[in-house]
Amino acid sequence: MRPKTAARVMKFFDEPVEFEKQPGIGAPVWRGRAGGGAALQAFAAAVRAAGGRLAALWGSDERPTAGCFRLHAVFGIEAGHAWLALDLPPDLFCPDLSGIFPAANRMQRAARDLVGIDFEGADRRPWLRHGGWPADWHPLRHDIGEPAGFANQVTDYDFVRVGGEGAHEVPVGPIHAGTIEPGHFRFSVVGERVLRLEQRFGYAHKGIERLFAGRAPAEGARLAGRVCGDSTCAYAWAYADAVEAACGASPPPRALGLRALMLERERVANHLGDLGARGNDASLAFGLAQFSRLREDWLRLNARLFGHRLLMDCIVPGGAALDLDASALSLIVEQCEAVGREVRALRRIYDEHAGLQDRFLTTGVLDMALARELSLSGLAARASGLILDGRAHRQGYTPPPPWATLGVRPASDERGDVAARAAVRFAEVAESLRLLRELAVGLPAGDVRAGLAPAAAGAGLGVVEGWRGEVIVGVALDAEGRLARVHPHDPSWQAWPALERAVLNDIIPDFPLINKSFNLSYSGADL
Amino acid sequence: MIPVIRRILRAGIVSEPRPEPAEAVELDRLQGEIRRILGRALAIRQVDAGSCNGCELEIHALNNPYVNLEGYGIRFVASPRHADMLLITGPVTKNMEHALKTAWECMPDPKLVVAAGDCACSGGIFGESYASCGAVERVIPVDARIPGCPPTPRQLLAGILAAIGR
């Protein structure tokens, strides 16, 4: 359903903040301005009381267009997303939201590192800044200039110490023992038992947000597709949604169908990879061999039909970069049937394999209350019983096209352990294969790309249900219609702290299995 | 157990034959070269110095049954101290510069270094910035480069073999 063109003013939870629906056909987003820090805190508390989530938070230097710095907070509520902006005073003081939403902690610290926002009474340890640039040099300020040959100093990080007899620390990373992204895990243990896990990230921070500034909106798509390589479709789509909302453009229906097709192919590719790797983590090499064979078949068809194994650069603002003909669509349908058959057989083997289930069951448990408290989204939330899926209908929420007509059935499991996350992946592969067949058969005719006329000072927010969870991209254009600020937000921001908690009843040798059962992104959250 | 064996038999051996005679001769020569220089096998330590994870996905694919990297006597190891080659992805972030140098220092000679992917080769789309040192060669010496965003498993395999043959 297209929203009515006239702006509708909405209020949520009896809070005074007024919201207007974002125009366009993307996921439902309401934009509002908080009157002050207290209003922001009150709204956040109301969202929390209603069972909502903190979906994203970032700082922005909007002095050229609005005359001030702003804090942006996106909340996941029943009806979709409430995007709240707060004008900051010249001293950049801002209320701390981490007491209401613990997930705010790292996002606020990143906003402090990059923009220099001062969150009152909050955790003041740097997050993305390790020692490569000075504390008073904030890369996302427009007038900060080029970095002046800063020395790269190795800094210590103030980990929380665990005391007591026999307690000791096990440091892991930033280079891990496999082909994995960089990050540091600090375990405090007694014997084998994990008492505390604390993460230190930022190792993959390569300054993506600053790179967006000044580019044309069409140019930013390539960069958005490289925030997190395994979720390139989700990011490219969320970015395109945001740019389209900012420019008032609507992609044609065939383009939406193609985007969904690519997003579901990305989901299946990642799930196939993960299911194989989970087998391997529990010493069932057979699982890795079988699933990696299926994944390779899947990626080869991607290369053949889309010209790229991981589908990079296929989704662009305004639509899709390419079209598929009838024979390509029938190849997709055929492959879905073949892969579906094999995955069903492999699932039976996984389910009945005593050794595998012994490692999976009751390992790395995350319960629903904690998942909610930590603002989790996506696969990890669904495996803890929180049925949140931006593609699916729920009470008070209608998904954007093309999902609304597909009747997406979200997978869920209440156990919250490694087994649950594997079961959700199996269920989602089956559902995605069904969706792919429906999308391929019912792809609307017509163009795949609409024109895009950049709008001065426009802004937009895109939300896409990627394979890992909710991918959000916020875009603001400057007076010339170029990108002033882009903030890509990965679901891993919220899920990494959940991992710190999920390992607490287990031992270090189970950590690789638990960690990879979430399979979170480092690059996506380090930016 | 029986269903597992049945699946294995049904899937069969999918490892791909060498595509063209000329290339096959070259591969045989390189495999001989690996044995001569390094003994029985080549041990690779992969280091992600700040990539988007795209290159890692394709490096994982080297171990799938189609490419079957271990069939060439090449395997990934957990420690740089056990490695003949560092296979590095990503632009080197400022935050990874120190760790990458440490890993390189830990390696035994001949310290082969291969930059995998556009970012590692040239800095790629991320380039040099306040947070990124750019190409791997800005931080440690590089012996060979495998361009691509990301390079395909075949390109990675060819690049790794070529690096040994130098």
Side-chain angles (χ1 to χ4, degrees), chain B residues 66 84 138 143:
Chain B
Y66 285 106
D84 308 304
R138 310 270 307 175
D143 296 292

Side-chain angles (χ1 to χ4, degrees), chain A residues 114 127-133 137 139-140 147 150 152 154 174-183 201-211 215 222-223 225-230 270 284 286 288-290 292-297 299-300 308-310 312 341-342 345-346 349 352-353 468 519 521 523 527, chain B residues 1-12 14 16 45-67 76-80 90-104 118-119 124-133 149-154:
Chain A
L114 301 179
W127 183 245
L128 299 178
R129 186 181 66 80
H130 288 192
W133 67 94
W137 191 86
L140 295 185
F150 304 130
N152 191 2
V154 179
I175 300 178
H176 297 153
T179 302
I180 322 174
E181 297 178 79
F201 293 149
Y203 293 94
H205 177 67
K206 42 199 169 281
I208 292 177
E209 287 173 289
R210 187 173 151 103
L211 284 176
R215 294 189 187 213
R222 204 177 125 77
L223 189 56
R226 281 161 182 76
V227 170
C228 171
D230 58 43
N270 279 292
L284 184 65
F286 159 82
L288 178 64
Q290 296 291 328
S292 62
R293 176 175 62 83
L294 294 178
R295 179 179 154 93
E296 182 67 17
D297 289 339
L299 298 188
R300 286 181 180 193
H308 196 283
R309 285 163 55 92
L310 305 179
M312 281 177 172
R341 212 165 32 241
E342 297 221 36
L346 289 170
I349 290 171
E352 288 163 15
H353 195 283
R468 191 180 273 122
N519 194 6
S521 172
S523 179
L527 295 170
Chain B
M1 202 60 215
I2 289 166
V4 172
I5 292 167
R6 202 181 291 141
R7 295 298 318 165
I8 292 172
L9 291 175
R10 190 172 300 162
V14 296
E16 290 175 330
R45 168 67 246 206
Q46 194 273 340
V47 176
D48 177 344
S51 84
C52 74
N53 198 31
C55 290
E56 275 62 42
L57 295 176
E58 295 297 55
I59 291 171
H60 276 298
L62 287 172
N63 283 323
N64 75 33
Y66 285 106
V67 186
F76 289 96
V77 294
S79 169
V92 182
T93 64
K94 289 271 161 73
N95 293 348
M96 275 302 285
E97 185 183 2
H98 174 71
L100 178 62
K101 279 183 183 157
T102 309
W104 184 76
D118 285 349
C119 298
I125 193 169
F126 304 111
E128 287 169 37
S129 71
Y130 75 95
S132 164
C133 305
C149 186
T152 64
R154 295 287 305 173

Side-chain angles (χ1 to χ4, degrees), chain A residues 487-525:
Chain A
H487 176 73
H489 183 93
D490 197 90
S492 304
W493 281 101
Q494 285 94 334
W496 278 118
L499 174 66
E500 288 183 339
R501 300 292 298 272
V503 298
L504 289 184
N505 291 315
D506 294 289
I507 57 178
I508 288 190
D510 275 328
F511 176 71
L513 181 68
I514 299 169
N515 181 20
K516 307 253 278 309
S517 76
F518 285 91
N519 194 6
L520 303 175
S521 172
Y522 300 72
S523 179

